[in-house]
Amino acid sequence: MADIINLLPENIANQIAAGEVIQRPASAVKELLENAVDAGATEIKLFVNDAGKALIQVIDNGKGMSETDARMSFERHATSKIKNIDDLFHIKTMGFRGEALASIAGVAQVELKTKKPGETIGTFIEIENSVVITQEPVATPEGTNIAMKNLFFNVPARRNFLKSNASELRHIVDEFIRVAMAFPNIFFSLTSNGQEIFHLERGSLKQRIIQILGSNYNANLVSVKEETDYLNIYGFVGKPETAKKTRGDQYFFVNNRFIKSAYLNHAVMNAFSDMIAKDSFPMYTLFIDLDPSRLDINVHPTKQEIKFEDEKIIYAFVQSAVKHALAQYSVTPTLDFELDSSIQHTEAVSQPFTSEKQNSIAGSSLYKTFTQKNQAHFINSKSDLEQWDTPKNVEQILTKQHGFPPIPSSEKSKPADTFSTFNRHADAVKPNKKPSAEEYVQVHKAFIIAENENGFIVIHQQNAHERILYERFVYAMKGKPIAIQRNLFPVTLEVTPADAILINELLPDLNVLGFQVEAFGKNTFVIQGSPADVTDGNEKVALEKMLEQYKHFSMDVSFSKREKLLRSMAWQQSVKAGTFLDKKEITSLVEELFACEICNTTPNGKPVFLEFKKDELDKMFGR
């Protein structure tokens, strides 16, 4: 019988590797930018056309490559960073796996120009489908100029899975920001279809943060800096009054590599726990430097998830460093009339740190452990860390302590779609009858009590309004447009480059949902009209908050773009707890709620009302 096992051809092996490394244009951007950083460049320019599908080009002024190295760089498992197995556990550079260029060459047409400093002539290489088409000398500046064209040209099935240009460009911007944020001493620029989106001059970390996240953080950053024998932590956190009701701009870097970690995020949230509302989120950009042998960065293909040797130690250090910074700088809030009222009235915002509070923080066992030399491995086991035995508990703890919405099990395994989600609770149980009371009672400006034949129900006014708005928006998408009120004076909205890309992507759906928004210059938009129930003068704030909610809405679940927009707008426009409603408004809310197709849960699965039956009440009182 003939043998059936064969070695894969080189080009097919590279295409398979590309499935791990190059999942979309942004993946290639990340790899090429990291290579430029490793080359010691002080200027890195990124050019993309057609959201990276037609062209991704990175030009740097780094150390370049010799003719032999230029050719070898496209071989599989070719890297200058690893000589033996021990090197794998002492990695300090960004790109080291030796798969990136080989993978890119397997799924794109690549042109490389490179020259080492001091040499008179450089090298030009052209590769297509892993095959070298051209290799010849070329006149080129010092450094490397690599261009990859027509991504997935030879794997059309993969190309068909790419999202819209606006969506793919947002992913590219995300990767660009993560690299640019980590290296403020390098000039970065990003040009898309001939228009420069980012122009980031070399400077300090604070300047880079303001360049990327906006000038509103200029006077609202608190420096974090702690050096210990185990690790160093430095960076900035936003003052408590800048905390948002949705996830703000949050970045963690370990040895200058961007990582995602709900575990470390929880440490920062704990540090802010007594200073901001429980359902608010602070801004932070934090860097952790530690011995590479104490972590494993190769546990995930994108290297955005890493494993620490001892996670409890890192957790304690991060929490203590942020607490110490906030106490040391005696953060004094300023009055901000656009700040959410529930944040404005928290004790931490209305009252500055007192010396007693500072002493309390400095006297905690966790802080002492952090600051005492050579005490890294003696963290008090009875501290807040004991519930963090493994990262598996992250979701439950975040849900319990910080009000993060739990992810329904049915949503963890598959993407959510607008209309399938709309009918998810087809078996939703309504009360036997709509409340029959002639009058409804509002309690604590948050709940509505309504009598029915069986007893009474308690309705949460914000959850109810979210459900009403969500279904209204779903019908709008099906062809029942939202009423629009034209602004007497158009409102100008200026946003960051990343947000401008996002708004351009959402413009068609925003118009259907009642926001008439038009592009006006590079990062500026004009709001010509808004939904009729948005208060005059509140259009800009409403759109900004909706945008923030959209960006950080249920990040752990793969919602469709439209679904995220509908949920974000329903949450943003719903009447919040703490709002007084008159009798007419209450009656309208209840009637609209029970006219909904699904009336007992919000789009996120939170209960809208609870029913109390008369016979159960009788039993409670012994009758």
Side-chain angles (χ1 to χ4, degrees):
M1 188 173 179
D3 298 330
I4 60 174
I5 295 179
N6 300 307
L7 282 175
L8 287 172
E10 185 73 12
N11 64 321
I12 296 179
N14 285 338
Q15 288 178 16
I16 294 172
E20 286 281 312
V21 184
I22 311 299
Q23 299 166 351
R24 61 192 337 146
S27 308
V29 166
K30 173 181 181 292
E31 299 288 350
L32 295 180
L33 289 177
E34 289 181 349
N35 282 345
V37 169
D38 287 343
T42 58
E43 288 189 7
I44 300 175
K45 299 175 182 178
L46 169 63
F47 299 86
V48 296
N49 286 344
D50 198 17
K53 299 171 187 175
L55 171 71
I56 297 173
Q57 183 176 19
V58 173
I59 302 174
D60 69 64
N61 64 347
K63 58 188 178 184
M65 291 180 281
S66 66
E67 181 180 2
T68 303
D69 284 347
R71 180 64 190 85
M72 283 291 293
S73 66
F74 289 98
E75 297 295 333
R76 292 192 67 200
H77 308 302
T79 177
S80 63
K81 320 299 176 45
I82 298 174
K83 300 281 192 301
N84 55 60
I85 192 64
D86 288 339
D87 292 340
L88 190 60
F89 302 100
H90 296 85
I91 293 296
K92 290 188 177 180
T93 52
M94 305 296 287
F96 62 87
R97 189 171 38 205
E99 288 279 347
L101 291 184
S103 299
I104 290 171
V107 291
Q109 297 161 327
V110 180
E111 293 179 3
L112 171 71
K113 295 178 183 178
T114 185
K115 187 176 80 170
K116 293 174 70 68
E119 295 191 352
T120 56
I121 203 76
T123 303
F124 171 75
I125 295 179
E126 183 181 2
I127 296 183
E128 183 174 310
N129 201 19
S130 298
V131 178
V132 176
I133 306 297
T134 306
Q135 180 171 342
E136 60 189 19
V138 68
T140 184
E142 292 179 358
T144 300
N145 179 340
I146 184 167
M148 54 175 290
K149 303 176 181 178
N150 302 321
L151 183 65
F152 298 135
F153 78 100
N154 54 351
V155 196
R158 292 287 303 279
R159 192 175 178 90
N160 291 339
F161 274 94
L162 296 179
K163 305 296 184 184
S164 67
N165 279 6
S167 179
E168 294 297 343
L169 185 57
R170 276 199 303 113
H171 286 288
I172 289 174
V173 168
D174 286 343
E175 294 293 354
F176 175 85
I177 286 175
R178 290 164 183 172
V179 177
M181 189 81 84
F183 299 95
N185 59 326
I186 300 176
F187 167 86
F188 284 91
S189 68
L190 167 57
T191 302
S192 173
N193 295 334
Q195 181 180 8
E196 190 174 56
I197 299 176
F198 284 95
H199 185 93
L200 307 176
E201 295 290 352
R202 300 171 64 182
S204 65
L205 175 59
K206 183 175 182 180
Q207 289 170 329
R208 182 58 54 92
I209 291 172
I210 293 167
Q211 285 176 323
I212 292 175
L213 301 184
S215 57
N216 56 311
Y217 282 116
N218 193 19
N220 291 305
L221 294 177
V222 175
S223 176
V224 177
K225 188 171 184 180
E226 294 286 354
E227 296 183 354
T228 75
D229 60 313
Y230 189 82
L231 57 75
N232 297 330
I233 298 176
Y234 64 94
F236 291 90
V237 295
K239 290 183 178 180
E241 60 265 35
T242 65
K244 300 175 182 178
K245 282 292 186 182
T246 53
R247 292 184 185 278
D249 299 298
Q250 301 178 337
Y251 297 89
F252 258 117
F253 299 88
V254 174
N255 292 349
N256 277 352
R257 186 187 304 280
F258 172 80
I259 66 161
K260 296 177 180 178
S261 174
Y263 187 74
L264 295 184
N265 176 72
H266 185 271
V268 178
M269 295 296 292
N270 256 357
F272 274 89
S273 60
D274 296 328
M275 305 181 64
I276 61 176
K278 287 187 176 181
D279 56 351
S280 299
F281 304 91
M283 168 270 169
Y284 59 78
T285 299
L286 295 174
F287 291 76
I288 299 173
D289 287 345
L290 78 162
D291 187 336
S293 64
R294 297 187 186 275
L295 54 89
D296 184 359
I297 59 177
N298 213 24
V299 297
H300 191 273
T302 65
K303 294 173 281 190
Q304 288 184 3
E305 297 175 16
I306 66 177
K307 186 169 181 58
F308 294 101
E309 181 182 66
D310 194 326
E311 292 177 314
K312 289 185 178 182
I313 294 175
I314 309 298
Y315 183 101
F317 283 175
V318 170
Q319 180 181 338
S320 296
V322 175
K323 274 193 174 184
H324 184 215
L326 292 171
Q328 183 178 359
Y329 282 81
S330 301
V331 176
T332 305
T334 55
L335 189 61
D336 184 349
F337 291 101
E338 292 187 358
L339 192 64
D340 190 288
S341 59
S342 62
I343 299 177
Q344 191 76 264
H345 293 128
T346 57
E347 182 179 331
V349 172
S350 60
Q351 300 176 12
F353 271 110
T354 62
S355 57
E356 288 80 4
K357 289 182 180 178
Q358 294 185 44
N359 292 335
S360 173
I361 290 174
S364 69
S365 60
L366 195 60
Y367 179 72
K368 286 179 178 177
T369 304
F370 181 84
T371 53
Q372 288 172 3
K373 189 171 178 60
N374 298 320
Q375 296 297 304
H377 292 278
F378 298 97
I379 290 177
N380 186 350
S381 62
K382 295 298 183 182
S383 69
D384 295 339
L385 305 177
E386 58 187 4
Q387 61 187 343
W388 284 92
D389 289 336
T390 65
K392 295 178 182 177
N393 299 323
V394 167
E395 182 187 325
Q396 294 92 322
I397 294 173
L398 296 185
T399 300
K400 180 180 177 182
Q401 294 190 0
H402 291 277
F404 287 15
I407 302 170
S409 57
S410 60
E411 292 182 353
K412 290 178 182 176
S413 57
K414 60 181 181 179
D417 178 74
T418 300
F419 304 116
S420 63
T421 304
F422 182 65
N423 293 307
R424 183 189 301 142
H425 305 286
D427 57 346
V429 180
K430 295 187 180 183
N432 290 343
K433 273 191 175 182
K434 191 183 89 173
S436 56
E438 295 181 2
E439 287 193 6
Y440 307 111
V441 179
Q442 185 185 34
V443 180
H444 296 301
K445 295 182 182 178
F447 306 98
I448 297 168
I449 297 179
E451 181 183 354
N452 62 13
E453 290 183 359
N454 297 327
F456 67 91
I457 62 172
V458 179
I459 302 170
H460 191 285
Q461 66 187 38
Q462 179 176 347
N463 290 0
H465 201 203
E466 271 191 56
R467 167 51 64 182
I468 294 166
L469 290 173
Y470 177 77
E471 295 204 4
R472 188 183 299 170
F473 295 150
V474 169
Y475 287 125
M477 289 297 181
K478 289 181 176 179
K480 188 178 179 182
I482 301 289
I484 299 175
Q485 59 182 7
R486 297 279 297 182
N487 295 338
L488 186 59
F489 300 102
V491 179
T492 302
L493 175 65
E494 190 169 344
V495 297
T496 63
D499 286 350
I501 295 169
L502 179 56
I503 293 179
N504 278 316
E505 180 184 4
L506 297 177
L507 277 181
D509 287 339
L510 284 173
N511 288 331
V512 173
L513 296 172
F515 278 102
Q516 286 190 339
V517 183
E518 300 172 359
F520 186 72
K522 188 175 179 181
N523 299 317
T524 306
F525 296 84
V526 174
I527 306 173
Q528 300 282 9
S530 57
D533 50 359
V534 173
T535 312
D536 278 344
N538 200 40
E539 304 89 349
K540 180 178 177 181
V541 174
L543 198 56
E544 286 175 335
K545 288 187 175 180
M546 186 282 301
L547 193 64
E548 190 65 33
Q549 178 71 10
Y550 177 90
K551 286 190 296 181
H552 305 288
F553 192 93
S554 298
M555 296 180 69
D556 294 329
V557 183
S558 183
F559 288 112
S560 68
K561 177 188 74 173
R562 182 168 288 180
E563 175 71 8
K564 285 198 290 185
L565 180 61
L566 298 187
R567 293 184 178 208
S568 301
M569 288 192 64
W571 177 88
Q572 193 280 320
Q573 293 185 28
S574 59
V575 58
K576 303 297 186 286
T579 304
F580 173 77
L581 302 178
D582 60 31
K583 292 183 178 180
K584 184 178 179 182
E585 291 170 327
I586 294 173
T587 302
S588 175
L589 185 73
V590 175
E591 289 181 352
E592 287 190 59
L593 172 64
F594 287 98
C596 289
E597 183 173 337
I598 301 166
C599 64
N600 67 327
T601 63
T602 68
N604 297 328
K606 294 179 182 178
V608 169
F609 58 79
L610 298 175
E611 186 171 17
F612 296 84
K613 296 183 178 179
K614 185 177 181 300
D615 55 352
E616 293 174 351
L617 292 170
D618 285 339
K619 290 179 182 177
M620 292 171 64
F621 288 96
R623 297 295 178 183

